Amino acid sequence: MVKSRYELTPTTQGPLYPPSEIVDAAGDFLVVGFLNEEGPAGTVTRRWGRAVVAADTPLPPFGENLPYTVVRDLPEELSDDDRALVLHTLPLPLPANNYPMVFAPDQLPEAASVTRPSYPFHEVPIPDLRPEDGRKLTEPVTLGQWLEARGTLDVSLSDDEHSAHFAFEFTGLIPDSLYTVMSLRSGDLNPESPTRPGPLGVPNVFITAPDGTATYRATLPNPFPDPSTPGANRVISVVVLWQSYQQNYGGAIGHFGLGGDIHAQLKLPTPTFEEFTTHP
C-alpha cells in the first residue's frame, strides 16, 4: 500500500490574493505565507515569511502577481504586542481579491454584491444567534494563538487504487469551533478557466474539542488521476479553514471564501501528492 505522512504548516493565507484571509483592526493583512517581492529586472519573486501588508496593496489580474506593499515585517519570534494582535475577518466585498469564482453558486450566486464590515473573530454576527443560545467563542482570537495550530495528514490509496483516504490529526486549533478542509486541485488556480475549490469529503466539517484538538477523515474517488489524462484535475494540496460564521455549507466550503467567512489556518504550502496515482 502506498502511504505518506505530511506535516501541515500554520498560515493565514490561501491563494496570493487576497494576501491574507485575516486582517488586523486597521484593516491591513496579517500575512503568514508567501510574500510577493520585487525581483531583478521588474520581476516578482516570492518567499515564505511574515508581514503586515497594506489593505491597498496593488491588485493584478488573476494569475499575475505584483509586489506587496509591506507595512512592516513580522519576525519569526513574535513580540508580545504582535502575539496579542486581535484577528478580524475581511470586509465584504473582499479587498485585494482577484479570484473569479463563486464558492457557493447554488446557495449565493451573487456573493460579490454583499457588503459587510470587518469583524473581530469572536464578534462575527452568526445568523439567527440570540444571547441565550450560548455562543462558545467569546474572547478575542490573537495571532499568537492562531499560529499554535499543528496538524498531520496521512494519505493512503485503496487496494484497487480507485480512491484515496485522508486522515488528519490536529492540535492547537480554536477550541469548540467549526472547521472545514478544502481540497485544492490543479485546475483551481488555472488563469484561463479556474475550477471551483471544494471540500475534502462531505459532510465537510469537524468540531474541535475544548483543548483545540480534533481529527478528520475523508475518502475521495480518484483524487490523483494521471496528469497526462485529458481533463485530469488532481488534488495537489489541502487547506484547513476556520469557519467564522460557524456554518456548514454542504458541498461548498463557504459562501464568500478567501477571508470573508473561511480562514486558512493550516495547509501544505506547495503542490504535493506527486507519488500517488489513482484510476476511475
Side-chain angles (χ1 to χ4, degrees):
M1 175 187 293
V2 180
K3 183 176 182 178
S4 295
R5 168 166 285 198
Y6 309 90
E7 297 287 335
L8 302 176
T9 300
T11 189
T12 64
Q13 185 185 65
L16 295 176
Y17 294 94
S20 171
E21 297 180 8
I22 292 170
V23 295
D24 62 15
D28 291 326
F29 298 104
L30 298 176
V31 181
V32 179
F34 287 110
L35 299 171
N36 284 344
E37 298 179 324
E38 186 172 354
T43 61
V44 178
T45 61
R46 69 178 191 175
R47 65 174 175 86
W48 189 269
R50 302 180 177 195
V52 179
V53 171
D56 61 353
T57 194
L59 182 65
F62 177 65
E64 299 180 17
N65 292 299
L66 288 171
Y68 290 161
T69 302
V70 174
V71 177
R72 62 186 178 93
D73 287 317
L74 294 170
E76 186 69 24
E77 186 67 32
L78 295 176
S79 68
D80 290 344
D81 287 345
D82 288 336
R83 285 186 56 83
L85 286 169
V86 175
L87 308 187
H88 294 64
T89 66
L90 274 60
L92 300 176
L94 296 167
N97 175 50
N98 61 11
Y99 198 60
M101 182 60 62
V102 176
F103 282 77
D106 292 340
Q107 301 170 56
L108 196 63
E110 303 298 329
S113 67
V114 177
T115 300
R116 292 180 186 173
S118 173
Y119 296 101
F121 278 5
H122 66 297
E123 294 179 354
V124 170
I126 297 172
D128 299 315
L129 178 70
R130 302 167 300 182
E132 63 267 28
D133 292 332
R135 183 179 192 139
K136 294 181 180 179
L137 181 62
T138 59
E139 298 294 328
V141 179
T142 65
L143 182 60
Q145 177 186 357
W146 185 262
L147 295 179
E148 291 174 1
R150 297 291 183 272
T152 60
L153 165 62
D154 290 321
V155 178
S156 58
L157 300 188
S158 61
D159 290 340
D160 60 10
E161 298 185 342
H162 290 316
S163 62
H165 185 65
F166 300 76
F168 297 83
E169 293 188 357
F170 304 108
T171 62
L173 299 180
I174 300 176
D176 295 316
S177 282
L178 193 70
Y179 279 80
T180 188
V181 180
M182 183 183 90
S183 61
L184 182 69
R185 293 180 180 264
S186 55
D188 290 350
L189 300 178
N190 181 346
E192 302 300 325
S193 56
T195 49
R196 175 169 64 90
L200 188 83
V202 175
N204 66 340
V205 294
F206 63 91
I207 298 175
T208 53
D211 63 355
T213 60
T215 60
Y216 181 73
R217 298 176 186 276
T219 300
L220 294 190
N222 192 24
F224 309 119
D226 188 315
S228 64
T229 304
N233 198 11
R234 290 174 59 94
V235 173
I236 58 172
S237 186
V238 297
V239 186
V240 180
L241 302 151
W242 182 68
Q243 298 188 276
S244 50
Y245 285 79
Q246 299 299 293
Q247 290 184 290
N248 176 21
Y249 302 98
I253 53 175
H255 277 171
F256 307 106
L258 302 173
D261 55 353
I262 53 175
H263 311 268
Q265 190 172 12
L266 290 167
K267 71 176 182 179
L268 298 171
T270 56
T272 314
F273 310 132
E274 293 92 346
E275 69 269 37
F276 294 112
T277 299
T278 52
H279 310 284

